[in-house]
Amino acid sequence: MDVVSQLQRQFVEHATSLYREGYLDDQFTQLLKLQDESNPDFVVEVVSLFFEDTEKLLNNLTTALQQESIDYKQVDAHVHQFKGSSSSIGAQRVKNVCVVFRNYCDEKNLDGCLVCLEQAKNEYLLVRNKLEALFNVSL
Amino acid sequence: MGLKMQGHHHHMVAVSLNSDQQLGTKRKYTSYVPRTHQGKYLALWIIAFGFAAVHVYRCIDAGHQQRIQEGLVSMCDQRARMLQDQFSVCVNHVHALAVLVSTFHYYKNPSVIDQETFAEYTARTAFERPLLSGVAYAQRVLNSQREDFESQHGGTIRTMANKEPSPHRDEYAPVIFAQETVSYLNLVDMMSGEEDRENILRARSTGKAVLTSPFKLLGSHHLGVVLTIPVYKSKLPPNASVRDRIEATVGYLGGAFDVESLVENLLGQLAGNQEIIVKVYDVTNMSDPLIMYGRQAQYGDLTRVRVSTLDFGDPFRKHQMTCRYLHKAPISWTAITTAFLGYVIVFLAGYMFYTGAIHIVQVEDDFHTMQQLKVRAEAADVTKSQFLATVSHEIRTPMNGILGMLALLLDTDLSSTQRDYAQTAQACGRALITLINEVLDRAKIEAGKLELEAVPFDLRSVLDDVLSLFSEKSRNKGIELAVFVSDKVPQIVMGDPGRFRQVITNLVGNSVKFTEQGHIFVQVHLAEHSIAVHDATSDSCLSGRSDGCQTNTLSGREAADDQNNWDRFKHLIADEEFPFQVLTSDGISQNVNLMVSVEDTGIGIPLHAQKLVFMPFMQADSSTSRHYGGTGIGLSISKCLVELMGGHISFISRPQIGSTFSFTASFKRCEQNMVTDPKRSLYDELPTAFKGLKATIVDTKPIRAAVTRYHLKRLGVFVEVVNSIRTVASVLGSGQPDMILVEKDVWLSGDDMSNIRASVFGHVLKSPKMILLATNITGDEFDKAKAAGFSDTLIMKPLRASMVAACLQQVFGTGKKVEQGRVMANGSVYLRSLLCGKKILVVDDNRVNRRVAAGALKKFGAEVECADCGKAALDLLQIPHGFDACFMDIQMPEMDGFEATRRIREMEEKQTSGSVDGSCDTGTTTEWHLPILAMTADVIHATFEECQKSGMDGYVSKPFQEENLYQAVAKFFESKTATNS
């Protein structure tokens, strides 16, 4: 019991630090709320889905932006997906990068897009590390 | 413009700027004023009119000069003529003398004239020759005759110059007769003087009077001329030759003209003598004119001269007279003044035009600038609204994080202090969210994005709900809070209950906040009725104002609006023969115009702040917000909402007395058959168990009694009002009441209740129920009331029909379990009850989103299926299917949410029209209509309209949040649960 409550406290502290640093937002809270006895691995499941999706999307984006003639529509669709899933799990810094990314897409600004892609990758890795740490704590 | 632009939210600002610039160019006005070089125009103007002025001056001056010149000419000519006349008169006389000499000296022999006679005669006729200083007769003496002559006259011939005996010459002309004035000429040879000699020679050859050139006369220093006339010894024919004449000559008659004194005399006789300078010249030799009169020096006005020719009868000599003005002609002041003044006027006019033009240009420029600024301000305003909406929305997200975390925190083990802190933080957070929602509301209204619903709703239950919100507060403060809805207001109207509630809540909330004692009274009447009654009663009330009609309010305290008292209220509730009712109820008018007023007896609004009341973020002063809190945005939102509802809001307020806010709102009349809708549960079902009961209200205050009666009437209770407990018995004639409701203050001021109860109802078997009505009550009073006979119940105000019903149930013990009404359980419990067992399809191409949505819905007990694109959703939704709702992502590849929804609706339509009879076994609804809710991350831009266009029923903001989900889902499942249970 002690261990459980200690772990819980640790989890909460960690999660709070993530909020404070802006990695996560309210949506993550909502996700946590959705997890209950009937659905114990919900958050982990969603987060790992997010990881998988994101890896794929980042790969797609990288290749799409290396093409001779860039299909910005395609890039935009990818970024939209990325934005959707990141906002769904509450990874707001990733989401914010996506918003900027889409603006560059609209302008067809290749340099901007590349910078954003790099940022998105970084943010993703950061949030991924944080989330992994969080779940290691909680598991 | 903001409205026009609604479709293009992303580019709103840019587009609006552009369009306004176009607008600006379109509005180009034509300016008739030169925009530049006004100074040059002015200079041109001044120069042009300078020339004009000079011209005018010249024109006027020329006339003037001409008049001066004419004056000179006429004066000069006059003088010349007179001089000439006098001169010729003299000459004629000398001529006559010549004739005299020839007649009496030569024709008579011996001569009858001697020196003596001649002197006598000439002296006596001197007046005839005023110009001649003297006349003398010289005889022609040849050299051969000299000696005879000298001996005859007893003297020698002398020369003129030195009076010496003359040397030998061919001939001589010694004077023999002389007037006395020139007697010194006797025997002086006239031919010895050069001038005289020539004169003599010329005279005898021409036979006419001749003149010398002017010279200094001997006797005086005056200039003069000598006139010489020949005397012949015989009469000569007119055509005699020069030689004949010389031969015939015997002597010469001469006289000296003193020209100077002659002219002097003459001029002295004439007017204007002082003005002009007259000179007389001998101009026989044109190149060397000899002066005869006047000074040689040139003086006087040299510019103007008149020359008149003089004819003194000597054809050889020519004379002329020149006249000048002594002074220069005076400058023509008239001309100068006229020209100058005219020029000054024109100059001033030019300057006026100049400054005018500069001013106009300036104003036009300013106007232009202002226009541009206006455009920018408008653009900025739109941007501001957008910004507000976006920012509010963005603030909500982290705020929800804070609240969520606080909720999580409260779930952990906390000490009581920590819990207290956390709860306080949570409460503050909630308040902040409310504020942000208000700001968002306002921003939405300003951006024109707020749309009103049109659903049927029960006005009275909305008001009851609002009242229940504030009942706690009003009870604590001891304020009487009451609502009254006129009977003429229909039960169900079409409109936006949420927004209507928001306005009422806001007004009542304000009133509760600012009222410490007295009452808050909400009334709803038909607007037409209210106005009619207002017109009818305003006169009577004005006249009866002095007799204290303002105290006849709900609580007896004075209210801000004097006329909103019992006198008027009486008319409002009693006026059964209301003409407008016919008009509105027979279906001609589809609109129900309501007049809602909220009257309080609070602190009122200071006069200086009354103008600002509806401005956002304005409170009476900063101390107000310190005292009472709040942002002051509520009233401005209320104003916007009321205007959206087709009405207007106004207020009357008197400081320290209270405020009365009233607004009108227009709703649609609801068709009777629409009441049978599934949306029936939108209004309260009041229990019908009390129909037919009779009640007596004991109350001294008529308005309060009317309110109580209104609530009882809604329950179907017949009501009688009396104003004291004593009179209860007297009205018993109409049958014994089932209950007697007594106001606390009536009871407190009245007699002991138990006695009355005994005395009045003692003989009756079943005594009526005694009910006490109170706003607040202390424990002591409560005990006392129980003792006094109010054992039955105590109804705490504010009254609400449902609450009164509940109390009556308790009193009458009606065992029937009455429906509890809607339990507006907020939060997940209610959501769970709505969603439990529902089969819901989630369509989203994003796996993560799909999973989250599914998770959220599952949490509330729904059965969730997922589809990853529009096509898959269409497959799953082939009719018949078992889904209760569908959540649809809007932006999906291939087929987006709008398109998918359109297809689904098409499918449903086909099915409905194809198999009308076969549909009854497939589901509860008679026709297929699957609620489809859009999921979008962009709440601001996804307007309800857009969703509706493609057949969607609503939208949920993404990511899912409980409250949004609740709001969206409740609309669709609420009715179903109501009908199912």
Side-chain angles (χ1 to χ4, degrees):
Chain A
M1 189 61 204
D2 263 359
V3 179
V4 170
S5 70
Q6 199 189 336
L7 277 175
Q8 261 181 356
R9 189 168 304 139
Q10 217 178 334
F11 178 78
V12 168
E13 274 168 16
H14 201 99
T16 319
S17 78
L18 289 187
Y19 288 117
R20 206 172 42 232
E21 287 158 31
Y23 289 108
L24 296 177
D25 63 16
D26 177 49
Q27 187 55 28
F28 192 68
T29 324
Q30 301 275 346
L31 276 188
L32 289 179
K33 272 194 197 163
L34 293 179
Q35 181 168 301
D36 55 16
E37 290 77 20
S38 63
N39 202 354
D41 293 331
F42 177 69
V43 178
V44 178
E45 194 188 328
V46 171
V47 168
S48 43
L49 267 178
F50 170 66
F51 290 164
E52 279 172 35
D53 263 15
T54 307
E55 306 275 347
K56 211 164 63 195
L57 280 170
L58 284 176
N59 280 337
N60 287 347
L61 279 172
T62 315
T63 40
L65 286 174
Q66 278 164 354
Q67 299 296 316
E68 282 290 308
S69 60
I70 293 161
D71 182 358
Y72 281 102
K73 245 187 189 160
Q74 185 62 39
V75 174
D76 189 59
H78 287 317
V79 180
H80 176 65
Q81 283 270 342
F82 194 18
K83 184 186 154 211
S85 46
S86 56
S87 81
S88 262
I89 72 147
Q92 64 167 347
R93 285 170 60 151
V94 178
K95 187 190 89 180
N96 292 342
V97 174
C98 288
V99 173
V100 181
F101 203 153
R102 288 194 75 179
N103 286 340
Y104 282 125
C105 264
D106 281 347
E107 295 168 14
K108 308 207 163 159
N109 181 340
L110 180 58
D111 292 339
C113 283
L114 287 173
V115 169
C116 275
L117 180 62
E118 213 47 48
Q119 275 181 353
K121 274 181 182 166
N122 287 339
E123 290 293 344
Y124 164 65
L125 287 177
L126 270 173
V127 80
R128 179 181 176 146
N129 287 338
K130 298 283 177 185
L131 284 171
E132 274 169 358
L134 186 68
F135 288 116
N136 281 338
V137 168
S138 72
L139 290 178
Chain B
M1 179 194 56
L3 288 169
K4 256 192 263 169
M5 294 293 160
Q6 259 185 40
H8 318 280
H9 307 288
H10 308 279
H11 312 292
M12 191 162 193
V13 179
V15 171
S16 64
L17 269 173
N18 286 344
S19 73
D20 271 311
Q21 274 159 8
Q22 286 160 10
L23 218 72
T25 51
K26 260 184 231 163
R27 248 185 245 152
K28 193 100 185 168
Y29 44 85
T30 44
S31 173
Y32 301 102
V33 174
R35 301 198 59 78
T36 50
H37 308 304
Q38 293 98 339
K40 286 182 188 167
Y41 285 108
L42 178 66
L44 200 66
W45 172 279
I46 288 171
I47 290 166
F49 279 93
F51 283 120
V54 169
H55 180 71
V56 167
Y57 169 76
R58 284 202 179 137
C59 285
I60 298 174
D61 194 49
H64 179 70
Q65 298 293 340
Q66 201 184 338
R67 275 193 302 282
I68 292 174
Q69 182 71 41
E70 277 168 4
L72 183 67
V73 168
S74 69
M75 281 198 288
C76 199
D77 287 353
Q78 185 190 13
R79 279 160 180 70
R81 206 168 51 243
M82 286 183 69
L83 184 64
Q84 199 177 302
D85 286 350
Q86 292 211 357
F87 199 89
S88 58
V89 166
C90 290
V91 171
N92 286 342
H93 240 274
V94 176
H95 228 136
L97 270 181
V99 173
L100 181 88
V101 170
S102 71
T103 309
F104 293 101
H105 187 59
Y106 291 106
Y107 296 168
K108 287 276 185 219
N109 205 6
S111 161
V112 288
I113 297 175
D114 56 5
Q115 166 62 29
E116 222 170 312
T117 322
F118 188 84
E120 177 77 19
Y121 181 76
T122 51
R124 288 178 67 180
T125 56
F127 70 94
E128 296 268 25
R129 309 175 298 272
L131 305 181
L132 290 174
S133 47
V135 285
Y137 175 71
Q139 193 181 352
R140 187 185 181 199
V141 180
L142 294 172
N143 199 25
S144 55
Q145 296 164 342
R146 179 175 174 170
E147 292 204 9
D148 294 342
F149 178 79
E150 279 180 348
S151 60
Q152 189 182 339
H153 285 278
T156 51
I157 296 170
R158 289 167 296 159
T159 58
M160 215 183 239
N162 43 19
K163 305 274 197 281
E164 290 294 306
S166 168
H168 286 283
R169 293 173 184 262
D170 284 345
E171 60 179 303
Y172 310 91
V175 173
I176 53 169
F177 304 138
Q179 199 177 338
E180 248 169 322
T181 47
V182 287
S183 54
Y184 54 85
L185 286 176
N186 212 7
L187 292 183
V188 171
D189 178 16
M190 294 316 281
M191 282 182 106
S192 61
E194 189 63 25
E195 291 281 338
D196 294 274
R197 184 186 156 80
E198 272 195 22
N199 228 21
I200 288 165
L201 292 181
R202 203 150 50 83
R204 73 179 181 198
S205 58
T206 55
K208 285 188 177 159
V210 295
L211 295 172
T212 60
S213 56
F215 62 94
K216 279 253 170 19
L217 291 182
L218 283 179
S220 67
H221 293 295
H222 288 174
L223 281 175
V225 289
V226 172
L227 171 77
T228 310
I229 292 172
V231 178
Y232 301 103
K233 62 181 167 203
S234 57
K235 280 180 190 158
L236 283 172
N239 52 355
S241 67
V242 175
R243 194 180 165 76
D244 291 339
R245 285 178 200 278
I246 295 170
E247 286 296 318
T249 305
V250 284
Y252 323 95
L253 195 68
F257 272 107
D258 182 353
V259 180
E260 223 166 337
S261 51
L262 161 72
V263 178
E264 205 82 54
N265 282 340
L266 182 72
L267 294 182
Q269 293 166 14
L270 289 172
N273 195 22
Q274 302 302 317
E275 287 172 24
I276 57 172
I277 300 164
V278 177
K279 289 182 186 175
V280 181
Y281 290 99
D282 180 341
V283 287
T284 311
N285 183 357
M286 284 301 275
S287 57
D288 180 27
L290 298 169
I291 193 145
M292 287 166 72
Y293 172 76
R295 269 180 273 166
Q296 189 69 47
Q298 297 282 326
Y299 65 99
D301 181 10
L302 298 181
T303 53
R304 216 169 269 112
V305 64
R306 168 66 187 179
V307 179
S308 303
T309 320
L310 293 170
D311 181 12
F312 289 140
D314 179 357
F316 179 72
R317 298 232 167 246
K318 290 189 174 68
H319 297 88
Q320 66 183 29
M321 177 185 267
T322 63
C323 301
R324 292 177 202 276
Y325 278 106
L326 178 61
H327 303 290
K328 278 198 184 245
I331 302 159
S332 169
W333 284 110
T334 333
I336 287 178
T337 326
T338 312
F340 182 72
L341 285 183
Y343 185 62
V344 164
I345 290 169
V346 172
F347 177 82
L348 288 179
Y351 189 71
M352 261 165 57
F353 288 142
Y354 170 71
T355 48
I358 283 179
H359 188 69
I360 288 171
V361 167
Q362 171 112 42
V363 167
E364 277 175 354
D365 286 352
D366 287 354
F367 172 70
H368 213 70
T369 321
M370 298 262 278
Q371 250 185 346
Q372 281 170 348
L373 287 177
K374 180 169 163 275
V375 166
R376 272 163 59 188
E378 278 168 356
D381 192 49
V382 171
T383 321
K384 186 210 75 185
S385 293
Q386 285 250 303
F387 172 77
L388 259 183
T390 317
V391 164
S392 319
H393 186 67
E394 291 299 319
I395 293 171
R396 268 209 305 197
T397 317
M399 270 313 293
N400 281 333
I402 293 169
L403 287 179
M405 280 299 108
L406 282 169
L408 279 182
L409 182 62
L410 282 168
D411 285 345
T412 57
D413 286 337
L414 293 174
S415 72
S416 60
T417 324
Q418 287 171 328
R419 183 166 294 277
D420 182 40
Y421 291 166
Q423 275 168 347
T424 312
Q426 202 178 25
C428 295
R430 288 212 179 104
L432 182 54
I433 288 280
T434 320
L435 168 63
I436 289 167
N437 284 342
E438 279 181 345
V439 171
L440 188 58
D441 261 356
R442 222 203 115 75
K444 268 190 174 173
I445 293 167
E446 276 185 2
K449 284 196 197 110
L450 192 98
E451 280 121 19
L452 290 183
E453 280 185 303
V455 296
F457 71 99
D458 182 2
L459 203 87
R460 290 172 176 79
S461 70
V462 167
L463 287 167
D464 281 352
D465 283 352
V466 174
L467 228 61
S468 71
L469 273 179
F470 295 102
S471 54
E472 193 63 37
K473 262 190 193 165
S474 68
R475 256 178 234 155
N476 290 342
K477 282 187 164 181
I479 310 166
E480 182 122 24
L481 177 60
V483 64
F484 179 88
V485 181
S486 163
D487 291 345
K488 295 166 189 78
V489 177
Q491 180 83 0
I492 306 289
V493 291
M494 293 276 277
D496 191 328
R499 297 304 179 184
F500 183 66
R501 184 203 310 257
Q502 196 178 347
V503 175
I504 303 265
T505 309
N506 187 272
L507 294 181
V508 174
N510 274 347
S511 292
V512 169
K513 202 194 281 180
F514 296 114
T515 307
E516 294 304 328
Q517 47 191 333
H519 68 267
I520 295 161
F521 186 28
V522 183
Q523 301 177 60
V524 183
H525 298 283
L526 286 179
E528 294 88 351
H529 189 190
S530 182
I531 291 162
V533 171
H534 181 267
D535 292 346
T537 54
S538 53
D539 305 330
S540 65
C541 191
L542 277 173
S543 58
R545 199 167 158 172
S546 54
D547 51 67
C549 66
Q550 68 264 45
T551 54
N552 249 332
T553 58
L554 182 66
S555 66
R557 282 178 66 88
E558 195 182 351
D561 189 356
D562 280 348
Q563 302 185 2
N564 217 351
N565 53 34
W566 170 242
D567 283 352
R568 183 161 165 231
F569 195 71
K570 204 163 56 189
H571 284 99
L572 279 170
I573 59 173
D575 197 4
E576 296 296 341
E577 303 299 317
F578 175 51
F580 290 94
Q581 201 179 9
V582 184
L583 188 123
T584 48
S585 63
D586 64 4
I588 292 170
S589 163
Q590 277 299 301
N591 283 339
V592 183
N593 292 316
L594 297 182
M595 159 73 94
V596 183
S597 68
V598 178
E599 172 186 297
D600 69 48
T601 56
I603 57 167
I605 301 165
L607 293 176
H608 66 88
Q610 292 199 353
K611 274 184 203 158
L612 304 173
V613 159
F614 293 114
M615 301 275 285
F617 301 109
M618 284 289 177
Q619 284 198 328
D621 51 46
S622 50
S623 70
T624 310
S625 50
R626 260 205 308 282
H627 250 267
Y628 299 98
T631 55
I633 198 176
L635 279 174
S636 81
I637 293 176
S638 297
K639 183 173 154 65
C640 295
L641 289 175
V642 166
E643 275 158 12
L644 276 176
M645 286 193 270
H648 60 270
I649 190 165
S650 63
F651 68 94
I652 298 173
S653 182
R654 284 194 282 159
Q656 305 312 325
I657 286 174
S659 317
T660 303
F661 279 82
S662 42
F663 67 91
T664 55
S666 178
F667 295 102
K668 286 263 179 302
R669 194 167 285 279
C670 190
E671 303 291 322
Q672 279 303 306
N673 51 6
M674 281 182 81
V675 181
T676 57
D677 248 31
K679 296 188 175 175
R680 187 189 182 88
S681 65
L682 277 170
Y683 59 93
D684 268 328
E685 279 290 297
L686 289 169
T688 50
F690 310 106
K691 268 209 174 109
L693 291 184
K694 283 181 196 138
T696 303
I697 298 169
V698 183
D699 196 345
T700 49
K701 288 180 182 146
I703 292 187
R704 194 167 57 183
V707 171
T708 316
R709 183 159 74 168
Y710 152 70
H711 287 292
L712 288 171
K713 259 177 119 174
R714 286 171 66 191
L715 296 170
V717 178
F718 291 110
V719 178
E720 258 178 302
V721 179
V722 294
N723 53 16
S724 82
I725 297 170
R726 286 182 185 287
T727 50
V728 172
S730 61
V731 295
L732 279 180
S734 60
Q736 191 199 349
D738 296 293
M739 56 190 132
I740 299 173
L741 296 101
V742 184
E743 280 287 340
K744 193 184 98 181
D745 53 350
V746 177
W747 163 61
L748 285 176
S749 64
D751 303 295
D752 189 10
M753 193 52 118
S754 53
N755 296 341
I756 289 167
R757 186 181 181 128
S759 63
V760 176
F761 303 114
H763 58 285
V764 187
L765 282 174
K766 186 184 166 223
S767 59
K769 306 288 182 187
M770 300 294 284
I771 297 167
L772 188 64
L773 299 169
T775 309
N776 54 350
I777 195 161
T778 58
D780 285 352
E781 282 173 333
F782 186 63
D783 293 341
K784 209 171 136 201
K786 272 205 161 150
F790 292 105
S791 49
D792 298 319
T793 200
L794 165 73
I795 299 181
M796 290 295 287
K797 289 201 242 180
L799 293 180
R800 277 178 295 139
S802 56
M803 192 194 71
V804 172
C807 290
L808 291 182
Q809 265 165 31
Q810 201 191 325
V811 172
F812 289 97
T814 36
K816 211 204 293 175
K817 182 88 184 143
V818 181
E819 187 193 345
Q820 289 296 309
R822 275 183 303 150
V823 184
M824 289 293 282
N826 41 12
S828 38
V829 181
Y830 184 61
L831 197 52
R832 197 178 178 86
S833 72
L834 283 180
L835 287 175
C836 191
K838 296 283 189 283
K839 199 173 170 197
I840 292 174
L841 177 66
V842 173
V843 189
D844 198 327
D845 62 320
N846 190 315
R847 275 204 298 169
V848 179
N849 287 354
R850 210 158 58 218
R851 189 69 191 86
V852 172
L857 290 169
K858 267 182 192 162
K859 174 155 190 206
F860 299 115
E863 199 181 312
V864 182
E865 255 188 67
C866 296
D868 60 353
C869 67
K871 281 217 176 82
L874 283 180
D875 289 344
L876 280 170
L877 288 173
Q878 288 299 327
I879 296 168
H881 59 72
F883 290 103
D884 293 297
C886 174
F887 286 83
M888 176 89 69
D889 188 22
I890 286 177
Q891 204 170 1
M892 288 187 291
E894 290 174 47
M895 187 189 293
D896 69 5
F898 294 132
E899 177 62 25
T901 309
R902 266 194 289 279
R903 298 232 183 148
I904 291 166
R905 293 289 178 238
E906 272 170 30
M907 242 156 51
E908 284 172 349
E909 219 164 272
K910 221 181 277 170
Q911 188 67 22
T912 310
S913 55
S915 57
V916 180
D917 48 354
S919 60
C920 52
D921 54 290
T922 52
T924 47
T925 45
T926 51
E927 59 180 62
W928 287 97
H929 184 91
L930 181 73
I932 298 176
L933 297 164
M935 291 192 290
T936 169
D938 218 344
V939 183
I940 291 290
H941 295 164
T943 57
F944 188 61
E945 215 172 76
E946 255 176 284
C947 294
Q948 260 186 337
K949 222 180 275 167
S950 51
M952 289 182 173
D953 298 280
Y955 65 87
V956 191
S957 69
K958 208 167 63 169
F960 274 7
Q961 281 173 356
E962 219 170 75
E963 55 177 293
N964 291 339
L965 194 59
Y966 165 72
Q967 279 171 5
V969 169
K971 255 185 226 165
F972 300 98
F973 293 122
E974 205 173 33
S975 50
K976 283 183 190 169
T977 44
T979 45
N980 288 350
S981 56

